[in-house]
Amino acid sequence: MSDTVAFDAMRDALRGAERLLLVTHEHPDGDALGSLIGMHGVLTALGKDAVMFVAPEEFPLPYEYDWLEHHDIVTTVPADAAERTIVFLDCGSIDRNPADGVRCPGATLLNIDHHHDNTRFGTLNLVVEDASCTAEIVWTLAHALDVGLTRRVAEALYVGLITDTGRFMYENTGAPAHEMAAELIEAGVDVAFVYRRVYEGWPEPKLHLVARALSRTERFGDGRLTFAHLFADDFAQTAALDSHTEGIVDMLRSVDGTKVAGLARQHSGTAAGQWKVSLRASDDDIDVSAIARAGGGGGHRAAAGFTTALGPAELAAFLDEQIAAQQS
Ligand code: AMP
Ligand code: MN
Ligand code: MN
């Protein structure tokens, strides 16, 4: 851990709190849910009254994660939220949590995250930029708090670990990620079972959605930008959900010559005229989080996103200009 003072302060704040409310970012991914459920297990083992909140519109959870035991996540903000210590996990900015109810004036906010552009909105901030995932920070905190890992906690943390490291293949994968994996397997994680749940078991609509995205893939700037878009009709006609786009942008990135891959989509959940954009960089030459920030969003150097009113053609031009500016 890079900042021992922040780490020790966070450990002590968690140890000192009695009632807590745990939240994560909107459209929760594997690390969001993994670090949320993992941290809840750690706090519960310490005898704390800890409540997990996820907004009702996020349910059902994406099929990749709905097998994680989550019956105790609540979908209404507890009445005593203002008196609880609020723990934000994997949340780069407070705006990425849609629950207005958790913006309690005067409440203690504990911000635990690994996004380098985290806005440090907490009363205490533990932002570990070189952690592979927020689940890795939770794992380190569990050690510091002397909490052994149950199988449920280990499984949740493992999902955060494999999804944010691209199954141990992205640049953020270091020895700690593998040490953590070894320990989680010792604690009961069934690797093949988790693999099948997270990476196989595609709902058939996803297959048809992927086919549409691939058929609408274009290359720009001699292939340095590989870009696809999906209309709301593509989702309606295939009966696919937005969460079924997971993984498409990574396929685009794998095309030879690609520096940046982008996927823009409109679906039932995007406001009229708005496009949700996912960006991925293939190496360290381009920082897609800077491009996403220029578009009003954020993220990591290699994986970022934003929402825009630019249509596909203008958006592709904007992205290619941004790439060119970083290359010059
Ligand atoms: P996604 O493409 O949705 O998987 O997101 C990739 C990364 O970008 C994640 O780390 C997100 O936290 C971040 N991200 C996505 N959309 C936004 C946004 N609108 N604002 C800030 N960060 C975002
Ligand atoms: Mn996340
Ligand atoms: Mn994460």
Side-chain angles (χ1 to χ4, degrees):
M1 289 292 148
S2 45
D3 185 342
T4 4
V5 176
F7 183 83
D8 291 352
M10 189 60 75
R11 178 203 57 204
D12 294 345
L14 291 168
R15 196 180 269 144
E18 283 313 319
R19 281 186 297 160
L20 305 99
L21 176 61
L22 312 187
V23 298
T24 187
H25 63 77
E26 61 188 335
H27 311 307
D29 53 22
D31 190 31
L33 291 165
S35 56
L36 182 79
I37 296 170
M39 178 59 94
H40 179 258
V42 170
L43 294 170
T44 306
L46 288 168
K48 311 288 182 192
D49 168 359
V51 177
M52 294 181 277
F53 167 83
V54 172
E57 57 269 26
E58 310 290 5
F59 290 87
L61 296 177
Y63 72 91
E64 293 100 317
Y65 315 123
D66 71 351
W67 58 274
L68 282 170
E69 198 188 317
H70 64 272
H71 67 275
D72 42 2
I73 294 181
V74 303
T75 53
T76 47
V77 177
D80 65 351
E83 292 138 41
R84 288 178 179 263
T85 297
I86 306 179
V87 185
F88 287 75
L89 294 148
D90 200 42
C91 225
S93 91
I94 199 163
D95 301 329
R96 291 208 72 215
N97 187 294
D100 285 337
V102 303
R103 290 166 201 252
C104 303
T108 302
L109 306 186
L110 305 183
N111 172 14
I112 302 174
D113 184 37
H114 66 131
H115 291 86
H116 73 106
D117 59 357
N118 186 294
T119 57
R120 271 84 174 167
F121 56 84
T123 316
L124 279 183
N125 301 291
L126 178 58
V127 180
V128 186
E129 298 180 12
D130 54 8
S132 63
C133 51
T134 301
E136 187 181 309
I137 310 173
V138 173
W139 172 68
T140 315
L141 283 165
H143 277 287
L145 291 162
D146 287 320
V147 174
L149 302 179
T150 62
R151 183 188 170 133
R152 181 194 184 194
V153 169
E155 253 177 359
L157 297 179
Y158 189 75
V159 168
L161 177 63
I162 59 172
T163 53
D164 264 27
T165 60
R167 305 181 231 176
F168 309 104
M169 290 294 150
Y170 297 157
E171 279 86 351
N172 62 358
T173 306
H178 285 280
E179 283 156 11
M180 174 175 164
E183 211 179 290
L184 299 181
I185 293 165
E186 296 280 349
V189 170
D190 178 341
V191 170
F193 168 82
V194 176
Y195 165 72
R196 282 193 292 273
R197 287 307 182 105
V198 177
Y199 294 103
E200 297 192 343
W202 280 24
E204 192 179 326
K206 175 163 176 156
L207 182 72
H208 300 299
L209 188 75
V210 170
R212 285 181 185 227
L214 297 185
S215 71
R216 222 173 283 128
T217 299
E218 298 168 277
R219 316 284 311 276
F220 297 88
D222 288 332
R224 66 186 171 191
L225 171 64
T226 301
F227 177 77
H229 62 278
L230 289 165
F231 297 105
D233 268 356
D234 292 312
F235 291 91
Q237 289 164 10
T238 57
L241 306 174
D242 183 49
S243 59
H244 294 162
T245 57
E246 190 69 43
I248 295 179
V249 70
D250 306 286
M251 289 182 205
L252 304 182
R253 169 169 56 185
S254 62
V255 180
D256 186 34
T258 302
K259 283 281 179 193
V260 172
L263 174 71
R265 67 269 195 197
Q266 285 189 308
H267 56 89
S268 56
T270 36
Q274 296 288 308
W275 294 80
K276 205 174 146 195
V277 186
S278 288
L279 299 177
R280 298 292 184 270
S282 37
D283 55 33
D284 214 30
D285 287 356
I286 304 289
D287 174 3
V288 290
S289 74
I291 303 179
R293 275 193 298 283
H300 305 281
R301 279 187 73 85
F306 63 105
T307 299
T308 181
L310 297 176
E314 301 157 284
L315 178 58
F318 164 75
L319 296 175
D320 199 48
E321 274 164 29
Q322 292 282 322
I323 300 166
Q326 284 196 33
Q327 282 184 322
S328 61

